[in-house]
């Protein structure tokens, strides 16, 4: 395994381009299951999770070709119904093949998902919704076994907002008979991107990005032109925060800032100056950084995927702030690692009190999940001395060439083999 070795204290300066969004690419690529012919995707990021998705599609009977951020997916012979544990255990998004498989084959066998250890993300919301569309499920040997004669439209009221559930049901409903209505649907930009892809291929979807989505089933989907994945708002936000923390000035190109209003407003409240262009944002601190409270909520509120990175910045802000995590119950695993670097953080339940300190100190730390890893990296960039971040395979799941991009901004960071 590899580690990242970081010598902090250098302001980041320059321009960086946000890659395609992981959280949009995964469901869109798994939407290939719905097609009989080749589908082509552009702006696909080179990530660990994308490679896992490739392997999953190949296991399900598809051929893939991935080069220069373009991926071709085509059916080899026939679609197979089983998503095996060896793949699903490494990526929770694998459960998004459940809806498409049921819609296409009327059967699916999908291992219970794994991935980042940030808390329970149960699939019961997916299953209960698919049951309303005519599916039946059993659990056998750690596998979700689903069957149906033919999915039919239904009116589904999600008990709580679920991004994966909205995506799974939206894909399943595209080939179901009749109309499906999803109430209390997730509103994330990645939901809109998935809907835009499906609509470009003939799906009939209304309301994506709102709390109610209506899908009228069609008999088949067909792509006419390659579809380009939206840019990654979480990656873009991470580099904006890194600019502020290191007292630098970074211009982030391909930045979907219209989907980042909650983050941008909090950054400006922290005394970070943001200059907006048509497709880019430049961030630099406007004097001393000030602490502000954050509370994670579903989009359009402050995203849980930015909580760890923002907390890393708060460790160096003047004053104190409360960070409240309402999405995942185990998403403060980065706190002990930041404390090892000199941060002053106290956790009580789902809230953390962060008191700003004059500086952080480099230390050996360990990434517990994707966003925690990113937070530790950007903390290391502004810490005194050397920081080694271990288990960076988590970071590789969601950041394309992170250390290379940071090197181009002047960061003293390199990938090394993890010492035994």
């Amino acid at each position: 395994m590899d580690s990242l070795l970081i010598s902090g204290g250098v302001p980041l300066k320059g321009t960086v381009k946000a890659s395609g969004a992981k959280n949009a690419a995964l469901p869109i690529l798994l939407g290939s299951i719905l097609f009989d012919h080749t589908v082509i995707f552009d702006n696909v990021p080179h990530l660990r999770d994308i490679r896992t998705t490739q392997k999953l599609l190949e296991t399900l009977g598809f051929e893939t070709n991935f080069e220069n951020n373009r991926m071709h997916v085509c059916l080899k012979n026939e679609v197979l119904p089983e998503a095996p544990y060896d793949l699903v255990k490494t990526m929770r998004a694998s459960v998004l093949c459940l809806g498409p498989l049921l819609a296409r084959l009327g059967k699916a066998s999908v291992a219970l998902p794994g991935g980042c250890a940030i808390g329970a993300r149960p699939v019961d919301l997916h299953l209960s919704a698919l049951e309303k569309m005519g599916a039946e499920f059993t659990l056998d040997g750690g596998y979700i076994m689903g069957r149906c004669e033919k999915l039919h439209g239904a009116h589904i009221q999600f008990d709580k907002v679920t991004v994966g559930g909205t995506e799974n049901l939206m894909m399943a409903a595209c080939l179901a008979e009749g109309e499906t209505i999803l109430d209390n649907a997730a509103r994330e930009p990645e939901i809109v991107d998935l809907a835009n892809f499906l609509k470009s291929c003939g799906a009939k979807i209304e309301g994506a990005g709102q709390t109610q989505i209506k899908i009228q089933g069609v008999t088949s989907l067909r792509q006419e032109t390659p579809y380009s994945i939206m840019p990654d708002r979480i990656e873009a936000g991470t580099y904006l925060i890194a600019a502020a923390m290191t007292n630098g000035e970074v211009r982030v190109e391909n930045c979907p800032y219209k989907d980042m209003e909650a983050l941008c407003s909090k950054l400006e409240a922290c005394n970070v100056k943001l200059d907006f262009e048509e497709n880019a944002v430049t961030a630099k601190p406007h004097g001393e950084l000030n602490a502000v409270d954050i509370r994670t909520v579903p989009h359009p509120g402050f995203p849980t995927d930015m909580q760890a990175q923002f907390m890393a910045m708060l460790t160096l802000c003047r004053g104190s702030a409360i960070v409240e995590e309402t999405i995942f119950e185990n998403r403060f695993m980065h706190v002990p690692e930041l404390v090892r670097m000199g941060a002053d953080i106290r956790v009580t339940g789902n809230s953390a009190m962060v008191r700003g300190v004059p500086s952080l100190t480099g230390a050996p730390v360990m990434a517990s999940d994707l966003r925690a890893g990113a937070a530790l990296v950007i903390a290391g960039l502004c810490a005194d001395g050397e920081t080694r971040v271990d288990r960076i395979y988590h970071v590789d799941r969601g950041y394309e060439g992170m250390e290379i991009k940071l090197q181009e901004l002047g960061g003293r960071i390199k990938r090394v083999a993890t010492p035994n």
Side-chain angles (χ1 to χ4, degrees), residues 119-133:
R121 288 192 270 189
V123 298
D124 59 323
L125 295 174
H126 304 230
L127 303 186
S128 61
L130 287 166
E131 284 175 343
K132 291 181 179 179
M133 298 180 68

Side-chain angles (χ1 to χ4, degrees), residues 185-203:
R187 301 168 60 190
E188 271 68 10
E190 295 78 15
I191 299 283
V192 177
D193 206 35
L194 173 61
N196 288 341
F197 161 63
L198 295 169
K199 286 161 62 177
S200 73
C201 301

Side-chain angles (χ1 to χ4, degrees), residues 302-313:
F302 194 93
T304 182
D305 279 354
M306 288 303 310
Q307 179 256 108
Q309 303 92 306
F310 204 92
M311 183 186 286
M313 183 180 69

